[in-house]
Amino acid sequence: MPELPEVETIVRDLREPLVGQTIVDVRNDWPRLIALPDLAELRARIGGRIIEAINRRGKYLVFNLDGGETLIIHLKMSGQLSVVAATEPADPYVHTAFVLASGEELRFHDVRKFGRVYLVRDPGLVLGDLGPEPLSAAFNPDWLVDQLQQRRRVIKSLLLDQTFIAGVGNIYADEALFLAGINPGRRSDSLTAAEARALHAAIRRVLKLGIARNGASIDGAYRRPDGSSGDMQLEFAVYGRAEEPCIRCPGIVQRIVLGGRSTHYCNACQF
DNA sequence: CAACCGACCTGTTCGC
DNA sequence: TGCGAACAGGTCGGTT
């Protein structure tokens, strides 16, 4: 569920309440959520660590702790984070909680239990295969033009490949392809240089808009740490708009399945 | 190398 | 009203 803009929003929201805090313990009632190391070692290594910085890489939240440790969290489809007083009533969907010295807790709420927590000394172990950050200088038009020619994959699937670009998910891939006027089923090496440049600009534009709108909340799945919703869903041109009129032409938004993912596009103005 | 599909989980919505 | 099927923002691993 959370893609780059949602994770970025969460990271920004968490800095104020968490940076400088000391983690004293971890609770967990669903062992699979702890990917690395096991719960016993996690508790032993994280106790007493101070949160020095919080950042994002792709869809991962990265907490730099003192002592050279890095806590990494991936929210997958249904993860949410919140910082609340430890006295707040227990929530059955909170499967992992980081107990803080302040008397508060960082709670990891995850209905579907797909989320993952890692504690590593080498972040590269978890983040090493990620592609460039789409809002960084490494992701530039010339690079994309070149890369699309090197690959022969369906363009939408390529955008979802985190080793190609980090952070783009199903919503923003559909929205970027619509903005660029490119059919999601095209092979990447069939795009002209002009189309690749348009796609580059569109990816940046939708991600920045998503961040400006604090992410997209649909059915309450994504929530900011304080429980509030984002507004990006109000800006969707195609995602979730199957059978509705295109906002740019007389066409109708189509829904198809590509690479096993629901895909939305206008077949009248995306070529 | 790439496409496809089932797993991993649970809740909500949709169609009959 | 009831019930099963379909669907959901993500990734991984095994197969073709």
Side-chain angles (χ1 to χ4, degrees), chain A residues 102-124:
Chain A
S102 64
E104 296 170 295
E105 294 178 346
L106 168 61
R107 292 184 172 178
F108 187 177
H109 177 287
D110 191 358
V111 171
R112 295 178 69 179
K113 302 172 178 168
F114 288 166
R116 291 293 180 264
V117 171
Y118 310 80
L119 181 70
V120 291
R121 298 195 69 84
D122 173 16

Short mmCIF file of all heavy atoms in Angstrom, two decimals, chain A residues 102-124:
data_model
loop_
_atom_site.label_atom_id
_atom_site.label_comp_id
_atom_site.label_asym_id
_atom_site.label_seq_id
_atom_site.Cartn_x
_atom_site.Cartn_y
_atom_site.Cartn_z
N SER A 102 10.67 7.26 27.00
CA SER A 102 9.78 8.38 27.35
C SER A 102 8.44 7.93 27.91
O SER A 102 7.64 8.76 28.36
CB SER A 102 9.51 9.21 26.09
OG SER A 102 8.81 8.41 25.14
N GLY A 103 8.17 6.60 27.81
CA GLY A 103 6.85 6.14 28.23
C GLY A 103 5.92 6.01 27.03
O GLY A 103 4.75 5.66 27.17
N GLU A 104 6.46 6.29 25.87
CA GLU A 104 5.68 6.12 24.64
C GLU A 104 6.10 4.83 23.94
O GLU A 104 7.04 4.16 24.38
CB GLU A 104 5.92 7.31 23.69
CG GLU A 104 5.46 8.64 24.25
CD GLU A 104 5.94 9.79 23.39
OE1 GLU A 104 7.15 10.01 23.30
OE2 GLU A 104 5.07 10.46 22.80
N GLU A 105 5.41 4.53 22.84
CA GLU A 105 5.75 3.36 22.03
C GLU A 105 5.62 3.72 20.55
O GLU A 105 4.71 4.46 20.17
CB GLU A 105 4.79 2.21 22.29
CG GLU A 105 4.85 1.63 23.68
CD GLU A 105 3.84 0.51 23.89
OE1 GLU A 105 2.91 0.36 23.06
OE2 GLU A 105 3.97 -0.20 24.89
N LEU A 106 6.51 3.16 19.76
CA LEU A 106 6.36 3.22 18.31
C LEU A 106 5.65 1.93 17.96
O LEU A 106 6.20 0.84 18.13
CB LEU A 106 7.73 3.29 17.61
CG LEU A 106 7.70 3.07 16.08
CD1 LEU A 106 6.86 4.13 15.36
CD2 LEU A 106 9.14 3.04 15.53
N ARG A 107 4.39 2.05 17.53
CA ARG A 107 3.60 0.85 17.24
C ARG A 107 3.52 0.56 15.74
O ARG A 107 3.26 1.46 14.95
CB ARG A 107 2.18 1.01 17.81
CG ARG A 107 2.17 1.03 19.32
CD ARG A 107 0.75 1.08 19.87
NE ARG A 107 0.74 0.91 21.33
CZ ARG A 107 -0.36 0.95 22.08
NH1 ARG A 107 -1.55 1.15 21.51
NH2 ARG A 107 -0.27 0.78 23.38
N PHE A 108 3.73 -0.70 15.42
CA PHE A 108 3.67 -1.17 14.02
C PHE A 108 2.38 -1.97 13.89
O PHE A 108 2.28 -3.10 14.34
CB PHE A 108 4.91 -2.03 13.74
CG PHE A 108 5.06 -2.45 12.29
CD1 PHE A 108 6.18 -3.18 11.91
CD2 PHE A 108 4.13 -2.11 11.31
CE1 PHE A 108 6.36 -3.59 10.60
CE2 PHE A 108 4.31 -2.51 9.99
CZ PHE A 108 5.42 -3.25 9.64
N HIS A 109 1.41 -1.32 13.27
CA HIS A 109 0.06 -1.88 13.08
C HIS A 109 0.05 -2.51 11.69
O HIS A 109 0.42 -1.85 10.71
CB HIS A 109 -0.90 -0.70 13.18
CG HIS A 109 -2.34 -0.97 12.94
ND1 HIS A 109 -2.89 -1.23 11.71
CD2 HIS A 109 -3.39 -0.98 13.80
CE1 HIS A 109 -4.20 -1.39 11.82
NE2 HIS A 109 -4.53 -1.25 13.07
N ASP A 110 -0.35 -3.77 11.58
CA ASP A 110 -0.29 -4.41 10.27
C ASP A 110 -1.32 -5.53 10.15
O ASP A 110 -1.05 -6.68 10.50
CB ASP A 110 1.12 -4.95 10.02
CG ASP A 110 1.32 -5.39 8.58
OD1 ASP A 110 0.37 -5.31 7.78
OD2 ASP A 110 2.44 -5.82 8.25
N VAL A 111 -2.48 -5.19 9.61
CA VAL A 111 -3.57 -6.16 9.50
C VAL A 111 -3.15 -7.42 8.74
O VAL A 111 -3.43 -8.54 9.18
CB VAL A 111 -4.79 -5.52 8.79
CG1 VAL A 111 -5.85 -6.57 8.48
CG2 VAL A 111 -5.38 -4.42 9.66
N ARG A 112 -2.48 -7.24 7.63
CA ARG A 112 -2.16 -8.42 6.80
C ARG A 112 -0.85 -9.10 7.16
O ARG A 112 -0.51 -10.13 6.58
CB ARG A 112 -2.21 -8.03 5.32
CG ARG A 112 -3.61 -7.65 4.89
CD ARG A 112 -3.70 -7.23 3.44
NE ARG A 112 -3.48 -8.34 2.53
CZ ARG A 112 -3.52 -8.23 1.21
NH1 ARG A 112 -3.73 -7.07 0.65
NH2 ARG A 112 -3.34 -9.28 0.45
N LYS A 113 -0.09 -8.50 8.05
CA LYS A 113 1.14 -9.13 8.54
C LYS A 113 2.21 -9.37 7.47
O LYS A 113 3.01 -10.29 7.59
CB LYS A 113 0.83 -10.46 9.24
CG LYS A 113 -0.15 -10.35 10.40
CD LYS A 113 -0.55 -11.74 10.89
CE LYS A 113 -1.49 -11.68 12.08
NZ LYS A 113 -2.10 -13.00 12.35
N PHE A 114 2.19 -8.56 6.41
CA PHE A 114 3.22 -8.70 5.38
C PHE A 114 4.45 -7.88 5.70
O PHE A 114 5.51 -8.06 5.11
CB PHE A 114 2.69 -8.23 4.02
CG PHE A 114 1.67 -9.12 3.38
CD1 PHE A 114 0.92 -8.68 2.30
CD2 PHE A 114 1.47 -10.42 3.85
CE1 PHE A 114 -0.01 -9.49 1.69
CE2 PHE A 114 0.52 -11.25 3.25
CZ PHE A 114 -0.22 -10.78 2.17
N GLY A 115 4.32 -6.91 6.58
CA GLY A 115 5.42 -5.99 6.88
C GLY A 115 6.64 -6.72 7.43
O GLY A 115 6.54 -7.87 7.86
N ARG A 116 7.77 -6.03 7.41
CA ARG A 116 9.01 -6.63 7.88
C ARG A 116 9.87 -5.62 8.64
O ARG A 116 9.92 -4.45 8.28
CB ARG A 116 9.82 -7.19 6.71
CG ARG A 116 9.18 -8.42 6.04
CD ARG A 116 9.16 -9.63 6.97
NE ARG A 116 8.56 -10.81 6.35
CZ ARG A 116 7.28 -11.16 6.52
NH1 ARG A 116 6.47 -10.41 7.23
NH2 ARG A 116 6.82 -12.26 5.97
N VAL A 117 10.56 -6.13 9.67
CA VAL A 117 11.47 -5.32 10.48
C VAL A 117 12.86 -5.94 10.40
O VAL A 117 13.00 -7.17 10.49
CB VAL A 117 11.01 -5.32 11.96
CG1 VAL A 117 12.05 -4.67 12.85
CG2 VAL A 117 9.66 -4.63 12.11
N TYR A 118 13.87 -5.11 10.21
CA TYR A 118 15.25 -5.58 10.14
C TYR A 118 16.10 -4.73 11.08
O TYR A 118 15.92 -3.52 11.16
CB TYR A 118 15.83 -5.39 8.74
CG TYR A 118 15.00 -5.90 7.59
CD1 TYR A 118 13.92 -5.16 7.10
CD2 TYR A 118 15.31 -7.12 6.97
CE1 TYR A 118 13.17 -5.62 6.02
CE2 TYR A 118 14.57 -7.59 5.90
CZ TYR A 118 13.49 -6.83 5.42
OH TYR A 118 12.75 -7.28 4.37
N LEU A 119 17.04 -5.36 11.75
CA LEU A 119 18.05 -4.60 12.49
C LEU A 119 19.39 -5.09 11.96
O LEU A 119 19.70 -6.28 12.08
CB LEU A 119 17.97 -4.84 14.00
CG LEU A 119 19.01 -4.04 14.79
CD1 LEU A 119 18.67 -2.53 14.76
CD2 LEU A 119 19.11 -4.51 16.24
N VAL A 120 20.12 -4.18 11.34
CA VAL A 120 21.38 -4.57 10.70
C VAL A 120 22.49 -3.58 11.02
O VAL A 120 22.22 -2.42 11.36
CB VAL A 120 21.21 -4.65 9.16
CG1 VAL A 120 20.32 -5.81 8.77
CG2 VAL A 120 20.66 -3.34 8.61
N ARG A 121 23.72 -4.03 10.90
CA ARG A 121 24.84 -3.11 11.03
C ARG A 121 25.21 -2.61 9.64
O ARG A 121 25.77 -1.53 9.49
CB ARG A 121 26.02 -3.80 11.72
CG ARG A 121 25.69 -4.27 13.15
CD ARG A 121 26.95 -4.61 13.94
NE ARG A 121 27.73 -3.43 14.24
CZ ARG A 121 27.52 -2.60 15.27
NH1 ARG A 121 26.55 -2.87 16.13
NH2 ARG A 121 28.27 -1.55 15.45
N ASP A 122 24.87 -3.42 8.63
CA ASP A 122 25.14 -3.02 7.24
C ASP A 122 23.81 -2.88 6.49
O ASP A 122 23.23 -3.87 6.07
CB ASP A 122 26.01 -4.08 6.56
CG ASP A 122 26.18 -3.80 5.07
OD1 ASP A 122 25.89 -2.66 4.64
OD2 ASP A 122 26.60 -4.72 4.34
N PRO A 123 23.32 -1.64 6.30
CA PRO A 123 22.04 -1.42 5.62
C PRO A 123 22.02 -1.99 4.21
O PRO A 123 20.96 -2.35 3.68
CB PRO A 123 21.91 0.10 5.58
CG PRO A 123 22.82 0.60 6.66
CD PRO A 123 23.94 -0.38 6.73
N GLY A 124 23.19 -2.10 3.61
CA GLY A 124 23.27 -2.62 2.25
C GLY A 124 22.72 -4.03 2.13
O GLY A 124 22.28 -4.47 1.08
#
